[in-house]
Amino acid sequence: RIGEHILPFSSGKGLEGRRIHAVPSKIPLDDTFLWLIGLYLAEGSASIQAATLTMHKDEACYLERLIDYFAGFDIPLHITRRNNTACLVIESALFARLLSALCGRYAHAKALNSQFFAQLSHAQRWHIYEAWDLGDGRKKSRQEHHLYTSTSSERLAVQMQQVALGQGLFPRI
């Protein structure tokens, strides 16, 4: 059910014999989770065992917010920093599966799950857009009403265009 909470996916096939880290029975659909979704759309990918967010080293403040968010879960995080990048690995097959189901796995195929997208309020969609724009947008002045963001996913571009238009903005995606 979408609304105040998202129900997690069951462990399913392919996870036998692996330690499954605790994911709450309900994940609050709060601003921080929506922000995580947006950042994942911009900077994330998922494998069978983990989800990864890779960002520029100057975006370290995002890492801190993510670490704070995951502090309430029994999910190990792994951070690597190399040259100009910082990479956060969320080592949970269940959480990776949840992000994949809600957003897709790789850049060219990312988009919000259509049922999930349809049930979000305008405010919730905007929280996702703002985080996505942090990762894939370009710096802009406060006076601009035009947004410049890029993605390799046509479906995601259309969804984010709808969100921006709903805010009275003129997106260039």
Side-chain angles (χ1 to χ4, degrees):
R1 183 180 142 251
I2 304 298
E4 295 178 11
H5 295 89
I6 291 179
L7 300 178
F9 292 73
S10 64
S11 59
K13 297 179 186 176
L15 300 176
E16 294 82 8
R18 295 187 198 140
R19 181 172 185 266
I20 298 177
H21 297 281
V23 174
S25 62
K26 293 182 179 179
I27 298 174
L29 205 59
D30 59 14
D31 292 351
T32 304
F33 181 74
L34 295 168
W35 180 83
L36 167 65
I37 292 292
L39 200 59
Y40 174 83
L41 286 168
E43 309 286 8
S45 62
S47 68
I48 293 171
Q49 296 179 4
T52 303
L53 292 128
T54 304
M55 55 206 78
H56 191 270
K57 69 178 181 179
D58 293 341
E59 300 169 335
C61 59
Y62 306 157
L63 283 178
E64 297 304 319
R65 186 171 177 186
L66 290 166
I67 291 166
D68 289 346
Y69 177 74
F70 283 103
F73 300 106
D74 179 27
I75 296 175
L77 302 175
H78 181 75
I79 300 169
T80 57
R81 297 173 197 266
R82 227 180 259 145
N83 299 326
N84 290 326
T85 63
C87 185
L88 174 72
V89 179
I90 305 161
E91 297 178 1
S92 166
L94 285 175
F95 211 86
R97 190 184 244 170
L98 176 63
L99 289 173
S100 292
L102 292 175
C103 307
R105 290 178 67 173
Y106 304 110
H108 67 280
K110 280 199 196 143
L112 289 167
N113 173 291
S114 56
Q115 286 182 305
F116 177 63
F117 184 73
Q119 294 183 36
L120 292 171
S121 70
H122 292 292
Q124 290 171 321
R125 289 178 183 182
W126 185 244
H127 282 296
I128 292 170
Y129 183 99
E130 287 181 312
W132 172 70
D133 187 55
L134 286 174
D136 282 347
R138 74 160 178 84
K139 300 233 184 279
K140 43 200 143 307
S141 70
R142 290 187 177 264
Q143 291 80 22
E144 285 190 64
H145 293 286
H146 295 274
L147 304 174
Y148 302 94
T149 312
S150 62
T151 180
S152 60
S153 168
E154 185 177 343
R155 281 187 58 222
L156 181 59
V158 169
Q159 287 176 332
M160 295 297 106
Q161 185 177 39
Q162 290 174 347
V163 173
L165 289 169
Q167 293 291 319
L169 300 168
F170 310 104
R172 188 175 285 183
I173 300 174

